[in-house]
Amino acid sequence: MLDIHNMAGHLIRRLNQISVSVFSDRVSQAGYDVTPVQYGALAAIAAHPGLDQATLAGLIAYDRVTIGGVVDRLEQKAYVKRVVSPRDRRARELHLTGKGRDVLTALGPIVQAIQSEILSGLSIQERETFLKLLEKTTDAGNELSRAPLRTI
C-alpha cells in the first residue's frame, strides 16, 4: 500500500471521484444532463430567487471566475434566466425557469438516493458521525479555500 492511501487529501479526492461518478451515472440514467455543480446552482437559485452570480458562487463554494460558465450552460439549457435588476441596471438577477424548477424537482429524490449510495459502506450511525466530522472540518478550513462558502 502506498503511503498516500492513508492520507486525508487522497481519500477525500477519491471520495469526490466516487461521488461525481455516481451522480453523473444516476442523473444520466434518469435522462438528465446536469452536473453536481449545476444541481447545486439550481438548488441555490431556487432557495434565493433573484440572487446575483457572485452570491451564487459563495452559496455553493464555487470559484467566482468560473461560475459564469455554469450559469451560461444552465441558461443554454433553459433552466435559468438572467434578468436585469430593477435596483441596479448593471446587475443581473438569476431566476429558475419553469423547466429549471421541473428538473430540480425531478432530480431531488435521485440526489437524495445518491447520498446513501455514496456512503453505502457506513452504518446509519457512522454516516451521521462522518457527515458531522466532514462539516466540522470543512467549516474549520473554509477560509483556506480558494472558493469559500458564504451564506446570506
Side-chain angles (χ1 to χ4, degrees):
M1 179 178 273
L2 296 175
D3 287 343
I4 63 167
H5 292 166
N6 294 319
M7 293 182 178
H10 176 75
L11 292 169
I12 292 165
R13 181 186 64 78
R14 288 284 298 127
L15 187 56
N16 182 63
Q17 286 176 319
I18 293 164
S19 174
V20 169
S21 179
V22 170
F23 183 97
S24 297
D25 289 348
R26 300 305 169 267
V27 168
S28 178
Q29 288 169 3
Y32 296 95
D33 177 26
V34 175
T35 68
V37 172
Q38 290 172 354
Y39 179 82
L42 290 171
I45 295 166
H48 303 282
L51 57 75
D52 59 55
Q53 285 184 192
T55 303
L56 172 61
L59 282 174
I60 64 171
Y62 203 71
D63 182 74
R64 288 178 70 172
V65 174
T66 53
I67 194 70
V70 172
V71 174
D72 287 344
R73 285 183 285 287
L74 291 172
E75 192 174 40
Q76 289 166 1
K77 294 175 185 181
Y79 297 164
V80 169
K81 62 182 173 183
R82 291 178 172 117
V83 177
V84 175
S85 171
R87 295 178 300 278
D88 179 355
R89 305 241 354 117
R90 297 168 295 172
R92 301 289 181 269
E93 295 179 347
L94 302 173
H95 297 272
L96 290 185
T97 63
K99 186 176 180 182
R101 276 188 295 283
D102 292 345
V103 167
L104 188 60
T105 299
L107 290 179
I110 296 166
V111 172
Q112 285 302 315
I114 289 168
Q115 305 316 299
S116 293
E117 193 171 354
I118 292 166
L119 301 177
S120 63
L122 303 176
S123 70
I124 299 295
Q125 185 177 1
E126 288 171 329
R127 290 176 194 190
E128 291 173 5
T129 300
F130 181 69
L131 290 173
K132 286 178 186 171
L133 291 171
L134 278 176
E135 184 177 5
K136 183 177 182 179
T137 200
T138 54
D139 286 350
N142 190 52
E143 296 308 316
L144 300 174
S145 174
R146 292 185 177 144
L149 179 69
R150 301 284 183 234
T151 57
I152 295 179

